[in-house]
Amino acid sequence: MNKSLRKPVIAGNWKMNNNPAQAAALIEQLKPLVKDASCEVVACVPYIDLHAALKAAEGTNIQIGAQNCHWAASGAFTGEIPAAMLKELGVPYVIIGHSERRQYFGETDLTVRDRTRAALDAGLKVILCVGELKEQRLRNITAEVVRMQTKLALEGVTEKELENIVIAYEPVWAIGTGLTATPEQANEVNLLIRQLIAELYGKAAADKTVIQYGGSMNEKNAGELLAMPDIDGGLIGGASLAAEKFAAIVTATKQ
């Protein structure tokens, strides 16, 4: 499928790191390094950093994202944030379904679906995370797991709404472990996801859907991963906390 139809997206997931002052400083460091990027550049920051990050990134090509949102518009959900509040703040992107949310906070395929629905309804762009556990890969059921996660998350999503979704394939066994899927392994699953999109929405929609890889991509392996035909960017963890490392990954999309 034609990779030229898709603009790569390199998104940093800062996780639970950086206070507002540190967030602003990191974005200031990043600005000159990515100003000529040929890809979309996103920094997904903790809730408390959103205001500072948005202010620091104002007028630049760096977009800001949140790391989660709730499925309800309001209510008795202590500690949660509705998508509409993120939109009102001026946040364009939100990560949904990250494996750490699934592993530590009880996220399920159905709550991922509901959060995705809420984010789209609020006018946010979604970075939708899917990926298998190490045990699932060893049992050779990666395809079944990833197809199920993706299909459930996209339940009720129209072809037009799909344009506001970036899918991030993140093998859970490669997140924060230092392990990385080989370029061939990563591309194989990304292609599988694209084939599922084609089944659900048609080839034209699949050709346009951005599918990232997000398992320990860094400045050293990014070039090899991004050269694969179905890898359209990355959801970057640890390397996104260092401006030069993150910028090197952004630069690798130009190859």
Side-chain angles (χ1 to χ4, degrees), residues 191-213:
L191 175 58
L192 177 123
I193 294 169
R194 200 175 306 285
Q195 290 169 337
L196 174 61
I197 300 297
E199 290 175 27
L200 297 174
Y201 298 97
K203 183 179 182 299
D207 275 339
K208 292 187 294 184
T209 300
V210 173
I211 306 176
Q212 301 172 314
Y213 172 72

Side-chain angles (χ1 to χ4, degrees), residues 20 30 35-36 41 54 60 70 80-81 88 101 111 125 146 160-162 167 169 182 216 218 225 246:
L30 204 53
K35 63 182 177 64
D36 297 321
V41 180
L54 286 163
T60 75
H70 199 263
E80 289 283 348
I81 302 289
E88 186 176 345
R101 298 296 311 174
T111 61
K125 296 180 180 179
V146 172
K160 182 64 178 173
E161 289 172 331
L162 185 66
I167 299 174
Y169 167 53
T182 66
S216 296
N218 57 48
L225 286 161
F246 187 67

Side-chain angles (χ1 to χ4, degrees), residues 2 11 54 136 187 190 202 255:
N2 193 347
L54 286 163
Q136 292 166 332
N187 192 76
N190 278 32
Q255 63 189 349

Side-chain angles (χ1 to χ4, degrees), residues 89-255:
L89 191 60
V91 176
Y93 271 95
V94 63
I95 298 173
I96 302 289
H98 193 277
S99 67
E100 288 158 4
R101 298 296 311 174
R102 297 176 190 255
Q103 181 179 357
Y104 301 124
F105 303 105
E107 199 79 72
T108 69
D109 293 335
L110 295 181
T111 61
V112 169
R113 176 200 64 188
D114 294 344
R115 292 179 196 267
T116 299
R117 177 76 266 156
L120 292 172
D121 287 345
L124 297 175
K125 296 180 180 179
V126 173
I127 298 175
L128 171 63
C129 300
V130 297
E132 82 282 13
L133 301 170
K134 184 176 182 180
E135 294 78 10
Q136 292 166 332
R137 174 164 280 273
L138 291 174
R139 287 179 169 80
N140 200 30
I141 57 172
T142 294
E144 291 92 329
V145 170
V146 172
R147 279 179 60 92
M148 180 182 69
Q149 289 177 339
T150 306
K151 196 168 185 177
L152 282 172
L154 295 179
E155 191 173 53
V157 172
T158 67
E159 183 177 343
K160 182 64 178 173
E161 289 172 331
L162 185 66
E163 295 175 7
N164 286 319
I165 293 181
V166 172
I167 299 174
Y169 167 53
E170 293 204 314
V172 179
W173 49 271
I175 297 173
T177 63
L179 299 173
T180 309
T182 66
E184 292 76 19
Q185 286 174 324
N187 192 76
E188 180 182 22
V189 181
N190 278 32
L191 175 58
L192 177 123
I193 294 169
R194 200 175 306 285
Q195 290 169 337
L196 174 61
I197 300 297
E199 290 175 27
L200 297 174
Y201 298 97
K203 183 179 182 299
D207 275 339
K208 292 187 294 184
T209 300
V210 173
I211 306 176
Q212 301 172 314
Y213 172 72
S216 296
M217 183 185 284
N218 57 48
E219 74 282 5
K220 295 176 182 177
N221 60 28
E224 198 175 8
L225 286 161
L226 292 167
M228 301 304 290
D230 286 288
I231 298 178
D232 308 316
L235 182 56
I236 315 302
S240 70
L241 298 173
E244 290 188 358
K245 291 181 178 181
F246 187 67
I249 300 170
V250 168
T251 301
T253 64
K254 293 181 178 180
Q255 63 189 349

